Amino acid sequence: MATTRQWTDQQVEITISMLLRTGVTLAAAIVIVGGIVYLFYNGNDIPEDHIFRGEPADLRQAPGIFNDALAFRGRGIIQLGILLLILTPVARVAFSVFAFWQQRDRLYIIVTLVVLLILVHGLLATG
Amino acid sequence: MNNLEFTAIIGISSILAGLLGALTGLGGGVVVVPLLTLGLDVDLRYAIGCALVSVIATSSGAAVSYVREGYSNIRVGMFLEVATTFGAVTGALIAAKAPTRVIAILFGIVLLISTYLSDRPHNTQAVDHTADPLAIHLKLDGSYPTSGGEQPYHVQHVPSGFAVMLIAGAFSGLLGIGSGALKVVAMDQVMQLPFKVSTTTSNFMIGVTAAASAGIYLGRGYIDPGLCMPVLLGVLVGAWCGAKVLVRAKVTALRLVFSFVLFVIGIEMIYNGITGKI
């Protein structure tokens, strides 16, 4: 084992999995808060999920979701939690770039960057 | 029925879906979609959006316990994620064009295949393969802990494994499932990785694969917060309970019952797709 390796694979994986769990816990907490607000104001409405209309524009993109959440709208807060949840694996991949860079593993820095690029493309794609 | 009652029913059903997904090893996604569409008459696109979100949650939440065991191979995982994420983005783009009844039929077929695959006995005996030059170049070979110390293994058939992962990723993006069963087949059967390494690495990859298409579903307005809230929380609770049960009990008999349930659900999805009810 080379002494220049500051992070072993095992250490990297444990750090990553803690990052994932923190992300999920935080996201779930935000979703619960949003759920309470949503049901408090909209609990008596009639659900219409059997008809597909698609979500309004403000619940499709990060800026709109932030605005809705800041305005303390239940659906906006839930969507913020879901956005955070989707970003958790992205953060995991981003952290892996750093970890492979620490190990001076050029091949896997490139491999990980390709995965990150596909993920970011998916997040920014519209329609 | 108002939103409050609807949320409560979905929440409780999702706990059961998460439990069933954990105990069969197929994940919550494959159970959530039929539950919402067949059981509660939710539109298929909304159901798939919810399933993707809950798949990310269960995969990421379970990662800690898997990693501690020291089985997963992050290089194999990252390398194959190139295939699964690319497949997932492609699958999500196809989902926008394909009619929902076609997606429902495909979902049923994939559910049947996954149930069959996860019930098949797997090879637990380590086979000594010769080293593959491509696998060495990609630094994929590794070792895993056994009772007799670290056991090294050599990864085989890298291009075929990569190809199966492309398909697994496409199904994930198209159907909102984790494709865990197919991912395990690619690693366990095709690439000849030890079974434990395959399952733990697969869990790690599922979250990243689902995130690739979830972003597209969000941008397209398929992710409904009011519906996702009880599904996401319910599946998380169910999966967590399922993991606890798995540690304690022998569930061979239960698994057989669950597999039968999934088989019936698969047939019903296909039937509803053909008759155009979905």
mmCIF file of all heavy atoms in Angstrom, chain A residues 94-121:
data_model
loop_
_atom_site.group_PDB
_atom_site.id
_atom_site.type_symbol
_atom_site.label_atom_id
_atom_site.label_comp_id
_atom_site.label_asym_id
_atom_site.label_seq_id
_atom_site.Cartn_x
_atom_site.Cartn_y
_atom_site.Cartn_z
ATOM 1 N N ALA A 94 -19.832 13.369 -7.439
ATOM 2 C CA ALA A 94 -18.915 14.512 -7.381
ATOM 3 C C ALA A 94 -17.814 14.250 -6.348
ATOM 4 O O ALA A 94 -16.633 14.520 -6.590
ATOM 5 C CB ALA A 94 -19.685 15.787 -7.039
ATOM 6 N N PHE A 95 -18.198 13.675 -5.208
ATOM 7 C CA PHE A 95 -17.212 13.369 -4.179
ATOM 8 C C PHE A 95 -16.229 12.306 -4.665
ATOM 9 O O PHE A 95 -15.041 12.343 -4.333
ATOM 10 C CB PHE A 95 -17.910 12.902 -2.896
ATOM 11 C CG PHE A 95 -16.963 12.618 -1.774
ATOM 12 C CD1 PHE A 95 -16.463 13.650 -0.996
ATOM 13 C CD2 PHE A 95 -16.547 11.325 -1.509
ATOM 14 C CE1 PHE A 95 -15.575 13.391 0.025
ATOM 15 C CE2 PHE A 95 -15.660 11.055 -0.488
ATOM 16 C CZ PHE A 95 -15.168 12.085 0.286
ATOM 17 N N SER A 96 -16.726 11.362 -5.477
ATOM 18 C CA SER A 96 -15.850 10.314 -6.007
ATOM 19 C C SER A 96 -14.771 10.892 -6.922
ATOM 20 O O SER A 96 -13.652 10.377 -6.963
ATOM 21 C CB SER A 96 -16.664 9.274 -6.769
ATOM 22 O OG SER A 96 -17.628 8.699 -5.933
ATOM 23 N N VAL A 97 -15.105 11.959 -7.656
ATOM 24 C CA VAL A 97 -14.094 12.619 -8.494
ATOM 25 C C VAL A 97 -12.947 13.066 -7.604
ATOM 26 O O VAL A 97 -11.772 12.807 -7.879
ATOM 27 C CB VAL A 97 -14.689 13.848 -9.242
ATOM 28 C CG1 VAL A 97 -13.602 14.562 -10.041
ATOM 29 C CG2 VAL A 97 -15.829 13.433 -10.150
ATOM 30 N N PHE A 98 -13.313 13.711 -6.499
ATOM 31 C CA PHE A 98 -12.316 14.183 -5.536
ATOM 32 C C PHE A 98 -11.489 13.014 -4.977
ATOM 33 O O PHE A 98 -10.257 13.093 -4.895
ATOM 34 C CB PHE A 98 -13.031 14.937 -4.415
ATOM 35 C CG PHE A 98 -12.206 15.151 -3.192
ATOM 36 C CD1 PHE A 98 -11.198 16.110 -3.171
ATOM 37 C CD2 PHE A 98 -12.419 14.387 -2.050
ATOM 38 C CE1 PHE A 98 -10.437 16.303 -2.043
ATOM 39 C CE2 PHE A 98 -11.652 14.568 -0.912
ATOM 40 C CZ PHE A 98 -10.648 15.534 -0.907
ATOM 41 N N ALA A 99 -12.184 11.917 -4.630
ATOM 42 C CA ALA A 99 -11.496 10.774 -4.038
ATOM 43 C C ALA A 99 -10.497 10.146 -5.016
ATOM 44 O O ALA A 99 -9.375 9.814 -4.644
ATOM 45 C CB ALA A 99 -12.509 9.739 -3.581
ATOM 46 N N PHE A 100 -10.900 9.998 -6.281
ATOM 47 C CA PHE A 100 -9.984 9.431 -7.277
ATOM 48 C C PHE A 100 -8.829 10.388 -7.565
ATOM 49 O O PHE A 100 -7.719 9.970 -7.856
ATOM 50 C CB PHE A 100 -10.736 9.084 -8.566
ATOM 51 C CG PHE A 100 -11.586 7.847 -8.445
ATOM 52 C CD1 PHE A 100 -12.936 7.868 -8.752
ATOM 53 C CD2 PHE A 100 -11.020 6.641 -8.034
ATOM 54 C CE1 PHE A 100 -13.710 6.717 -8.636
ATOM 55 C CE2 PHE A 100 -11.793 5.491 -7.914
ATOM 56 C CZ PHE A 100 -13.144 5.530 -8.214
ATOM 57 N N TRP A 101 -9.102 11.677 -7.472
ATOM 58 C CA TRP A 101 -8.048 12.667 -7.673
ATOM 59 C C TRP A 101 -7.011 12.548 -6.558
ATOM 60 O O TRP A 101 -5.813 12.623 -6.795
ATOM 61 C CB TRP A 101 -8.657 14.080 -7.716
ATOM 62 C CG TRP A 101 -7.637 15.156 -7.817
ATOM 63 C CD1 TRP A 101 -6.920 15.500 -8.928
ATOM 64 C CD2 TRP A 101 -7.189 16.018 -6.764
ATOM 65 N NE1 TRP A 101 -6.057 16.531 -8.620
ATOM 66 C CE2 TRP A 101 -6.198 16.867 -7.307
ATOM 67 C CE3 TRP A 101 -7.538 16.157 -5.408
ATOM 68 C CZ2 TRP A 101 -5.557 17.832 -6.550
ATOM 69 C CZ3 TRP A 101 -6.892 17.120 -4.652
ATOM 70 C CH2 TRP A 101 -5.906 17.948 -5.221
ATOM 71 N N GLN A 102 -7.491 12.309 -5.343
ATOM 72 C CA GLN A 102 -6.590 12.082 -4.205
ATOM 73 C C GLN A 102 -5.694 10.878 -4.436
ATOM 74 O O GLN A 102 -4.560 10.847 -4.025
ATOM 75 C CB GLN A 102 -7.426 11.842 -2.943
ATOM 76 C CG GLN A 102 -8.014 13.079 -2.338
ATOM 77 C CD GLN A 102 -7.260 13.508 -1.098
ATOM 78 O OE1 GLN A 102 -6.852 12.677 -0.305
ATOM 79 N NE2 GLN A 102 -7.041 14.801 -0.955
ATOM 80 N N GLN A 103 -6.276 9.855 -5.103
ATOM 81 C CA GLN A 103 -5.513 8.633 -5.354
ATOM 82 C C GLN A 103 -4.692 8.735 -6.643
ATOM 83 O O GLN A 103 -4.059 7.768 -7.045
ATOM 84 C CB GLN A 103 -6.470 7.439 -5.451
ATOM 85 C CG GLN A 103 -7.228 7.179 -4.179
ATOM 86 C CD GLN A 103 -8.063 5.920 -4.249
ATOM 87 O OE1 GLN A 103 -8.188 5.290 -5.297
ATOM 88 N NE2 GLN A 103 -8.652 5.549 -3.137
ATOM 89 N N ARG A 104 -4.735 9.890 -7.296
ATOM 90 C CA ARG A 104 -4.031 10.116 -8.569
ATOM 91 C C ARG A 104 -4.418 9.056 -9.609
ATOM 92 O O ARG A 104 -3.568 8.552 -10.336
ATOM 93 C CB ARG A 104 -2.512 10.092 -8.366
ATOM 94 C CG ARG A 104 -1.979 11.120 -7.399
ATOM 95 C CD ARG A 104 -1.979 12.518 -8.009
ATOM 96 N NE ARG A 104 -1.454 13.501 -7.077
ATOM 97 C CZ ARG A 104 -2.203 14.183 -6.211
ATOM 98 N NH1 ARG A 104 -3.510 13.997 -6.155
ATOM 99 N NH2 ARG A 104 -1.658 15.064 -5.409
ATOM 100 N N ASP A 105 -5.675 8.679 -9.622
ATOM 101 C CA ASP A 105 -6.155 7.662 -10.555
ATOM 102 C C ASP A 105 -6.803 8.365 -11.740
ATOM 103 O O ASP A 105 -8.003 8.619 -11.757
ATOM 104 C CB ASP A 105 -7.163 6.752 -9.822
ATOM 105 C CG ASP A 105 -7.504 5.505 -10.632
ATOM 106 O OD1 ASP A 105 -7.362 5.553 -11.878
ATOM 107 O OD2 ASP A 105 -7.904 4.504 -10.021
ATOM 108 N N ARG A 106 -5.981 8.692 -12.748
ATOM 109 C CA ARG A 106 -6.442 9.537 -13.847
ATOM 110 C C ARG A 106 -7.588 8.886 -14.624
ATOM 111 O O ARG A 106 -8.560 9.541 -14.977
ATOM 112 C CB ARG A 106 -5.279 9.845 -14.794
ATOM 113 C CG ARG A 106 -5.563 11.042 -15.682
ATOM 114 C CD ARG A 106 -4.372 11.417 -16.538
ATOM 115 N NE ARG A 106 -3.239 11.871 -15.745
ATOM 116 C CZ ARG A 106 -2.004 12.000 -16.249
ATOM 117 N NH1 ARG A 106 -1.755 11.688 -17.494
ATOM 118 N NH2 ARG A 106 -1.026 12.431 -15.484
ATOM 119 N N LEU A 107 -7.462 7.568 -14.874
ATOM 120 C CA LEU A 107 -8.500 6.858 -15.630
ATOM 121 C C LEU A 107 -9.868 7.013 -14.959
ATOM 122 O O LEU A 107 -10.857 7.340 -15.612
ATOM 123 C CB LEU A 107 -8.120 5.372 -15.727
ATOM 124 C CG LEU A 107 -9.150 4.457 -16.385
ATOM 125 C CD1 LEU A 107 -9.308 4.808 -17.856
ATOM 126 C CD2 LEU A 107 -8.739 3.001 -16.223
ATOM 127 N N TYR A 108 -9.900 6.823 -13.652
ATOM 128 C CA TYR A 108 -11.188 6.878 -12.951
ATOM 129 C C TYR A 108 -11.674 8.291 -12.678
ATOM 130 O O TYR A 108 -12.867 8.509 -12.463
ATOM 131 C CB TYR A 108 -11.186 5.991 -11.705
ATOM 132 C CG TYR A 108 -11.562 4.599 -12.122
ATOM 133 C CD1 TYR A 108 -10.600 3.712 -12.591
ATOM 134 C CD2 TYR A 108 -12.894 4.226 -12.183
ATOM 135 C CE1 TYR A 108 -10.952 2.472 -13.071
ATOM 136 C CE2 TYR A 108 -13.259 2.985 -12.661
ATOM 137 C CZ TYR A 108 -12.290 2.116 -13.103
ATOM 138 O OH TYR A 108 -12.649 0.900 -13.594
ATOM 139 N N ILE A 109 -10.765 9.268 -12.715
ATOM 140 C CA ILE A 109 -11.223 10.662 -12.656
ATOM 141 C C ILE A 109 -12.058 10.921 -13.905
ATOM 142 O O ILE A 109 -13.154 11.491 -13.839
ATOM 143 C CB ILE A 109 -10.029 11.644 -12.586
ATOM 144 C CG1 ILE A 109 -9.252 11.444 -11.284
ATOM 145 C CG2 ILE A 109 -10.509 13.084 -12.699
ATOM 146 C CD1 ILE A 109 -7.974 12.252 -11.195
ATOM 147 N N ILE A 110 -11.559 10.445 -15.057
ATOM 148 C CA ILE A 110 -12.280 10.654 -16.325
ATOM 149 C C ILE A 110 -13.602 9.893 -16.332
ATOM 150 O O ILE A 110 -14.649 10.449 -16.658
ATOM 151 C CB ILE A 110 -11.387 10.236 -17.519
ATOM 152 C CG1 ILE A 110 -10.157 11.147 -17.592
ATOM 153 C CG2 ILE A 110 -12.173 10.302 -18.834
ATOM 154 C CD1 ILE A 110 -9.079 10.669 -18.513
ATOM 155 N N VAL A 111 -13.561 8.602 -15.919
ATOM 156 C CA VAL A 111 -14.781 7.785 -15.885
ATOM 157 C C VAL A 111 -15.852 8.468 -15.024
ATOM 158 O O VAL A 111 -17.016 8.606 -15.421
ATOM 159 C CB VAL A 111 -14.472 6.365 -15.327
ATOM 160 C CG1 VAL A 111 -15.761 5.616 -15.001
ATOM 161 C CG2 VAL A 111 -13.625 5.572 -16.318
ATOM 162 N N THR A 112 -15.437 8.938 -13.833
ATOM 163 C CA THR A 112 -16.385 9.557 -12.907
ATOM 164 C C THR A 112 -16.924 10.872 -13.456
ATOM 165 O O THR A 112 -18.108 11.184 -13.294
ATOM 166 C CB THR A 112 -15.707 9.767 -11.536
ATOM 167 O OG1 THR A 112 -15.037 8.565 -11.178
ATOM 168 C CG2 THR A 112 -16.712 10.077 -10.460
ATOM 169 N N LEU A 113 -16.035 11.638 -14.134
ATOM 170 C CA LEU A 113 -16.488 12.898 -14.732
ATOM 171 C C LEU A 113 -17.532 12.651 -15.820
ATOM 172 O O LEU A 113 -18.479 13.431 -15.970
ATOM 173 C CB LEU A 113 -15.295 13.682 -15.306
ATOM 174 C CG LEU A 113 -14.476 14.474 -14.278
ATOM 175 C CD1 LEU A 113 -13.247 15.090 -14.939
ATOM 176 C CD2 LEU A 113 -15.324 15.553 -13.617
ATOM 177 N N VAL A 114 -17.369 11.553 -16.574
ATOM 178 C CA VAL A 114 -18.364 11.221 -17.611
ATOM 179 C C VAL A 114 -19.719 10.958 -16.957
ATOM 180 O O VAL A 114 -20.751 11.487 -17.391
ATOM 181 C CB VAL A 114 -17.901 9.990 -18.438
ATOM 182 C CG1 VAL A 114 -19.023 9.512 -19.361
ATOM 183 C CG2 VAL A 114 -16.656 10.316 -19.252
ATOM 184 N N VAL A 115 -19.726 10.167 -15.865
ATOM 185 C CA VAL A 115 -20.980 9.881 -15.146
ATOM 186 C C VAL A 115 -21.595 11.187 -14.641
ATOM 187 O O VAL A 115 -22.795 11.432 -14.791
ATOM 188 C CB VAL A 115 -20.732 8.904 -13.972
ATOM 189 C CG1 VAL A 115 -22.012 8.701 -13.162
ATOM 190 C CG2 VAL A 115 -20.222 7.568 -14.478
ATOM 191 N N LEU A 116 -20.750 12.050 -14.062
ATOM 192 C CA LEU A 116 -21.230 13.337 -13.525
ATOM 193 C C LEU A 116 -21.857 14.185 -14.630
ATOM 194 O O LEU A 116 -22.911 14.799 -14.443
ATOM 195 C CB LEU A 116 -20.061 14.077 -12.871
ATOM 196 C CG LEU A 116 -20.412 15.278 -11.997
ATOM 197 C CD1 LEU A 116 -21.285 14.858 -10.821
ATOM 198 C CD2 LEU A 116 -19.153 15.960 -11.481
ATOM 199 N N LEU A 117 -21.213 14.163 -15.798
ATOM 200 C CA LEU A 117 -21.703 14.944 -16.937
ATOM 201 C C LEU A 117 -23.091 14.460 -17.369
ATOM 202 O O LEU A 117 -23.995 15.266 -17.616
ATOM 203 C CB LEU A 117 -20.712 14.791 -18.093
ATOM 204 C CG LEU A 117 -20.785 15.843 -19.196
ATOM 205 C CD1 LEU A 117 -20.230 17.152 -18.673
ATOM 206 C CD2 LEU A 117 -20.001 15.396 -20.420
ATOM 207 N N ILE A 118 -23.280 13.131 -17.426
ATOM 208 C CA ILE A 118 -24.584 12.574 -17.812
ATOM 209 C C ILE A 118 -25.642 12.967 -16.783
ATOM 210 O O ILE A 118 -26.758 13.355 -17.125
ATOM 211 C CB ILE A 118 -24.508 11.033 -17.958
ATOM 212 C CG1 ILE A 118 -23.505 10.638 -19.042
ATOM 213 C CG2 ILE A 118 -25.884 10.449 -18.276
ATOM 214 C CD1 ILE A 118 -23.224 9.151 -19.141
ATOM 215 N N LEU A 119 -25.286 12.902 -15.499
ATOM 216 C CA LEU A 119 -26.230 13.250 -14.431
ATOM 217 C C LEU A 119 -26.641 14.715 -14.520
ATOM 218 O O LEU A 119 -27.820 15.053 -14.419
ATOM 219 C CB LEU A 119 -25.597 12.977 -13.060
ATOM 220 C CG LEU A 119 -25.501 11.526 -12.622
ATOM 221 C CD1 LEU A 119 -24.726 11.420 -11.317
ATOM 222 C CD2 LEU A 119 -26.889 10.932 -12.443
ATOM 223 N N VAL A 120 -25.670 15.596 -14.709
ATOM 224 C CA VAL A 120 -25.963 17.030 -14.782
ATOM 225 C C VAL A 120 -26.805 17.316 -16.023
ATOM 226 O O VAL A 120 -27.758 18.098 -15.971
ATOM 227 C CB VAL A 120 -24.650 17.855 -14.797
ATOM 228 C CG1 VAL A 120 -24.922 19.315 -15.099
ATOM 229 C CG2 VAL A 120 -23.948 17.725 -13.450
ATOM 230 N N HIS A 121 -26.504 16.633 -17.111
ATOM 231 C CA HIS A 121 -27.312 16.785 -18.325
ATOM 232 C C HIS A 121 -28.776 16.420 -18.049
ATOM 233 O O HIS A 121 -29.688 17.125 -18.449
ATOM 234 C CB HIS A 121 -26.756 15.917 -19.450
ATOM 235 C CG HIS A 121 -27.710 15.751 -20.596
ATOM 236 N ND1 HIS A 121 -27.867 16.711 -21.564
ATOM 237 C CD2 HIS A 121 -28.600 14.774 -20.886
ATOM 238 C CE1 HIS A 121 -28.800 16.317 -22.407
ATOM 239 N NE2 HIS A 121 -29.257 15.142 -22.023
#
